[in-house]
Every structure is written in structure tokens, then in C-alpha cells.
């Protein structure tokens, strides 16, 4: 049996939000604690963040500690998971450079996530080359650690597919060297791509429509109360739509049966509450109050751990430094295998010149 290895990560473009939590972070912590994996690598993708933030290096730098704080406060344990910084593993850049030869420009142009992101960032014709090629660099990140499993949100599907293609191409040209990864999507449909509080398709740091894991009690409450709902549900007595209504999508993602029993005991289940909303007679405020209670209960312990951790940033720095060293050791072995397969290992001991 081959090893089971996880690689995943986040861009340090802001603090992490509840979309990250349900899309990937919550799952990572479960997988970490399941003990079912030989190695877990969690990467803070600063080099990738620079592909569309080249002029804002301070922003990227500041958010490294923020993301690490979010990780550990959610339950990622540096003793069990290797937390590291992408730019501190230069082998990843080298791998990307070789993988670039195995991908065509038109293949990259077809990537639907990259297309959507280019549009969202208004790059139009001035797309940075580094941004355009980030799916290739992501393939380097995943394969460098021989990851078998990549727990991510739905927007990452095209990236994993691109990685699998690169692995197959590499192995067929140079001989079997790389491991083909599998994507691990959330099983709850609401978590695949959590919408923004403004009703936009995706909660995203770059769109400013987020509830952050580190938001205060008041911030969470005011964001929930301002949330977009069904625009046709004007009067309490009107029938409302629950499908595509972000307040209900968030409830689908976060609300457990225990939450219903505690905060809305007049309903037997979330489904019953939805039926009431669809029939008419249930006001948005009441649904939002439930969502607020659920989010407050979920986020309060995370925020409390974060407040403690914030007191010792040197510990965070230490974790990331050690993690980056371990990550580099692993990536260097894969890079050596890759160079050997590509016959560019001229000075390796034992290789004939
Ligand atoms: P940026 O706007 O800088 O791209 P982002 O909010 O999209 O930031 P990323 O760092 O790109 O966050 O994504 C990190 C991980 O979180 C990925 O696995 C991604 O699939 C997941 N993710 C991000 N946003 C959501 C969301 N709204 N719902 C579910 N998963 C998400
Ligand atoms: Mg993103």
C-alpha cells in the first residue's frame, strides 16, 4: 500500500473566512485527527498570492501570520501537520519550470477558474504571466509532496485536473516518477462554494463579502443582519425561496440538529423551518437570528484560541520555520527524482556523464 499524503493550502491575501472553514479547513482538521494519513502538508501560498499582488508585498507578508493563526485556532496541530510557507521551498519553483514544458497555452486558457478570476480582477489584456501559469505552480506544490489527497473547495477542481494531466504526461514521457492526486471535496453541497454575504457566487477575500473566523461577536452579528436573502420575500406572510438564499445556504453548511434543538426548538429540523419559510409566515429576521446563534457558537472557541495565540507570534514564526525546513527536505527528494527522470542529473553521484 502506498502512503496517504495530504497537501492543501491557502493564499495569504487576508484572514481566513467561513468559506475556507467549511470548504477545506474543517475537513483538514478531521483528517488530521483521524490518524489515517502518513503525512499532512499545509501550505501558505505566498508565491501564488504574489502572482496577482506583485505590487502589494506588505499585504502578503502581513497575512502569513494571520493565516497561520487561523490554522492553529481551528485545530491544525503543528505536531501532526507540517505548516509551511511556499516561497521558502525553492524546489517548487524549479519543478514548475520543468512542468511548464508539458502544458500548452490554450490548455491554460480553458481553465474555468482562472477565466473567472481574470474577469473578477479586471485584468483584461494585462494578465501577469505568473498569474496565468499558477495552475502549473499548483501542480508543482501538489506533486512535490507526492500528495494523494487534496481537500479543497469546488473552485479548485480544474487545478487538480490540470495537475493530474501533468503527472500523466510527465510519467509517460520520462517514466513513472510522480503521484497522481485525488481531489477531496466537501460532502455537503452547501460547502462546495459558500456564497458571499452579498449573495455573490463565492465568498472570497478579494471580494470583501466575507465573515472572517476572527470577526468579533458584533461584526458577525451585523454581517448576518445585513445579509442578502430572497429579494421577493418582502412581507413575512410572503412565500420565500430557500434555494439560492444565502442565509439558508449558510444554515445548511453550519447548522446541526443540536443547534435546532438549542436555538429553534419549535422546529423538529432545519428542513421543517425551510418548509415554513417556503409556505410564508416566517420572517427573515428570525432566520437570521438563528444563523447568528449558530455562527456565534461555532466561532467563539476559535476566536478565543486565536486571542491566546496572538500573544506569542514568535511561536507562530518558529512553527512555520521548522515546517518550511521539513517541507524543503521532502520537496528536494522529489526534485532529485524528477531531474534524474529528465536526465538532467549530470553531477549526481553514480550517474555517468
Ligand atoms: P483569493 O480571493 O485571494 O483567491 P480565496 O478566498 O479564494 O482568496 P483561497 O486562498 O484562494 O481563498 O482558497 C483557499 C481554499 O479555500 C481553497 O481550497 C478553496 O477551494 C477554499 N475556498 C475558498 N473560498 C471558498 C468558498 N467560498 N467556499 C468553499 N471553499 C472555499
Ligand atoms: Mg481563491
Amino acid at each position: 500500500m502506498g502512503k496517504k499524503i495530504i497537501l492543501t493550502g491557502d493564499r495569504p491575501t487576508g484572514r481566513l473566512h467561513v468559506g475556507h472553514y467549511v470548504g477545506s479547513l474543517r475537513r483538514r482538521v478531521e483528517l488530521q485527527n483521524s490518524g489515517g494519513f502518513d503525512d499532512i502538508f499545509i501550505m501558505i501560498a505566498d508565491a501564488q498570492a504574489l502572482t496577482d499582488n506583485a505590487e502589494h508585498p506588505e499585504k502578503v507578508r502581513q497575512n502569513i501570520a494571520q493565516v497561520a493563526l487561523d490554522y492553529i485556532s481551528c485545530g491544525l496541530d503543528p505536531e501532526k501537520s507540517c505548516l509551511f510557507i511556499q516561497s521558502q521551498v525553492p524546489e517548487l519553483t524549479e519543478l514548475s519550470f520543468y512542468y511548464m514544458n508539458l502544458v500548452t497555452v490554450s490548455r491554460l486558457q480553458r481553465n474555468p477558474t482562472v477565466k473567472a478570476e481574470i474577469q473578477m480582477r479586471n485584468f483584461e489584456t494585462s494578465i501577469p504571466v505568473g498569474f496565468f501559469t499558477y495552475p502549473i505552480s499548483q501542480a508543482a506544490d501538489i506533486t512535490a509532496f507526492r500528495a494523494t489527497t487534496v481537500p479543497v473547495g469546488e473552485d479548485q477542481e480544474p487545478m487538480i485536473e490540470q495537475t493530474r494531466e501533468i503527472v500523466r504526461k510527465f510519467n509517460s514521457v520520462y517514466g513513472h516518477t510522480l503521484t497522481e492526486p485525488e481531489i477531496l471535496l466537501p460532502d455537503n453541497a452547501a460547502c462546495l462554494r459558500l456564497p458571499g454575504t452579498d449573495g455573490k457566487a463565492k465568498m472570497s477575500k478579494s471580494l470583501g463579502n466575507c465573515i472572517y473566523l476572527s470577526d468579533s461577536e458584533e461584526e458577525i452579528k451585523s454581517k448576518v443582519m445585513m445579509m442578502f436573502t430572497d429579494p421577493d420575500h418582502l412581507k413575512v406572510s410572503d412565500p420565500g425561496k430557500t434555494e439560492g438564499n444565502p442565509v439558508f445556504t449558510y444554515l445548511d453548511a453550519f447548522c446541526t440538529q443540536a443547534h435546532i434543538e438549542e436555538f429553534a426548538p419549535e422546529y423538529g429540523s432545519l428542513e421543517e423551518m425551510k418548509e415554513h419559510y417556503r409556505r410564508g409566515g416566517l420572517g427573515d429576521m428570525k432566520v437570521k437570528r438563528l444563523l447568528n446563534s449558530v455562527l456565534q457558537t461555532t466561532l467563539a472557541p476559535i476566536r478565543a484560541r486565536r486571542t491566546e495565540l496572538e500573544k506569542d507570534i514568535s511561536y507562530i514564526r518558529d512553527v512555520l520555520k521548522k515546517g518550511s525546513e521539513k517541507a524543503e527536505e521532502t520537496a528536494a527528494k522529489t526534485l532529485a527524482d524528477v531531474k534524474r527522470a529528465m536526465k538532467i542529473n549530470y553531477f549526481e553521484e553514480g550517474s555517468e556523464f
Side-chain angles (χ1 to χ4, degrees):
M1 266 276 287
K3 285 193 165 183
K4 285 176 74 184
I5 299 171
I6 288 177
L7 174 111
T8 185
D10 306 271
R11 295 152 39 93
T13 47
R15 292 171 290 148
L16 297 186
H17 54 63
V18 294
H20 299 120
Y21 184 71
V22 296
S24 171
L25 201 43
R26 181 165 66 180
R27 188 65 162 286
R28 292 178 207 173
V29 175
E30 284 164 16
L31 295 173
Q32 167 195 277
N33 296 337
S34 75
F37 287 83
D38 298 286
D39 263 313
I40 302 179
F41 293 95
I42 311 287
M43 179 179 83
I44 302 184
D46 63 334
Q48 190 187 117
L50 285 166
T51 64
D52 57 331
N53 284 283
E55 280 149 44
H56 308 286
E58 256 325 298
K59 167 176 151 189
V60 173
R61 186 183 175 102
Q62 279 164 6
N63 280 306
I64 287 180
Q66 296 303 318
V67 171
L69 284 165
D70 286 325
Y71 283 168
I72 304 177
S73 24
C74 283
L76 285 176
D77 175 354
E79 299 292 321
K80 297 182 186 155
S81 297
C82 175
L83 311 183
F84 73 98
I85 306 177
Q86 185 184 26
S87 64
Q88 303 309 295
V89 184
E91 286 77 1
L92 301 175
T93 324
E94 209 174 327
L95 281 174
S96 305
F97 192 70
Y98 297 128
Y99 294 173
M100 282 186 188
N101 305 331
L102 306 176
V103 180
T104 63
V105 171
S106 67
R107 176 65 184 84
L108 288 174
Q109 278 167 336
R110 283 202 306 274
N111 184 311
T113 299
V114 175
K115 264 197 209 163
E117 289 177 339
I118 285 171
Q119 220 173 23
M120 191 178 105
R121 286 164 177 75
N122 292 319
F123 280 148
E124 286 162 21
T125 52
S126 51
I127 309 162
V129 173
F131 184 81
F132 181 64
T133 58
Y134 93 73
I136 302 177
S137 119
Q138 224 166 295
D141 305 332
I142 295 169
T143 54
F145 299 96
R146 304 197 167 285
T148 52
T149 313
V150 188
V152 283
E154 193 187 36
D155 62 313
Q156 293 302 307
E157 224 163 1
M159 310 305 162
I160 312 304
E161 196 40 48
Q162 176 74 80
T163 302
R164 291 165 61 89
E165 280 175 38
I166 291 175
V167 169
R168 289 197 288 263
K169 178 92 181 179
F170 189 100
N171 288 346
S172 81
V173 176
Y174 302 113
H176 189 88
T177 313
L178 301 172
T179 309
E180 212 173 307
E182 306 266 359
I183 190 168
L184 187 64
L185 292 169
D187 357 282
N188 177 343
C191 302
L192 286 171
R193 186 183 298 245
L194 199 74
T197 50
D198 56 357
K200 287 219 179 89
K202 181 176 172 294
M203 180 178 287
S204 177
K205 292 178 227 113
S206 312
L207 290 175
N209 57 6
C210 306
I211 295 178
Y212 292 99
L213 294 172
S214 48
D215 275 348
S216 67
E217 194 177 333
E218 297 70 35
E219 283 167 319
I220 296 169
K221 185 162 182 208
S222 87
K223 288 181 184 179
V224 169
M225 294 306 158
M226 305 263 286
M227 263 178 83
F228 185 94
T229 61
D230 171 6
D232 300 322
H233 185 243
L234 298 172
K235 291 200 294 292
V236 172
S237 55
D238 288 341
K241 278 199 274 307
T242 52
E243 192 84 359
N245 180 333
V247 178
F248 281 101
T249 309
Y250 285 26
L251 283 172
D252 281 334
F254 284 96
C255 182
T256 62
Q257 186 57 26
H259 289 136
I260 293 285
E261 282 158 25
E262 187 177 352
F263 302 118
E266 63 277 32
Y267 298 105
S269 63
L270 178 58
E271 199 39 53
E272 252 182 45
M273 186 180 198
K274 284 186 187 171
E275 276 159 23
H276 189 184
Y277 190 85
R278 287 193 288 258
R279 259 194 330 268
L282 173 58
D284 283 333
M285 279 321 270
K286 196 166 167 204
V287 189
K288 286 182 172 179
R289 273 200 296 273
L290 169 64
L291 176 61
N292 180 55
S293 304
V294 168
L295 287 178
Q296 298 291 358
T297 317
T298 310
L299 299 180
I302 297 175
R303 187 171 56 235
R305 279 196 294 274
R306 201 181 202 277
T307 309
E308 274 312 298
L309 287 162
E310 279 167 359
K311 294 180 188 152
D312 190 4
I313 291 295
S314 68
Y315 164 73
I316 302 288
R317 182 179 181 273
D318 222 45
V319 162
L320 294 176
K321 184 163 182 282
K322 287 207 189 87
S324 301
E325 283 160 10
K326 176 182 167 181
E328 184 169 16
E329 261 175 50
T330 308
K333 287 190 196 129
T334 307
L335 179 63
D337 292 343
V338 159
K339 291 173 95 170
R340 206 173 299 125
M342 293 179 70
K343 313 212 177 301
I344 52 175
N345 59 331
Y346 314 112
F347 307 126
E348 194 179 23
E349 211 157 320
S351 92
E352 262 175 55
F353 193 67

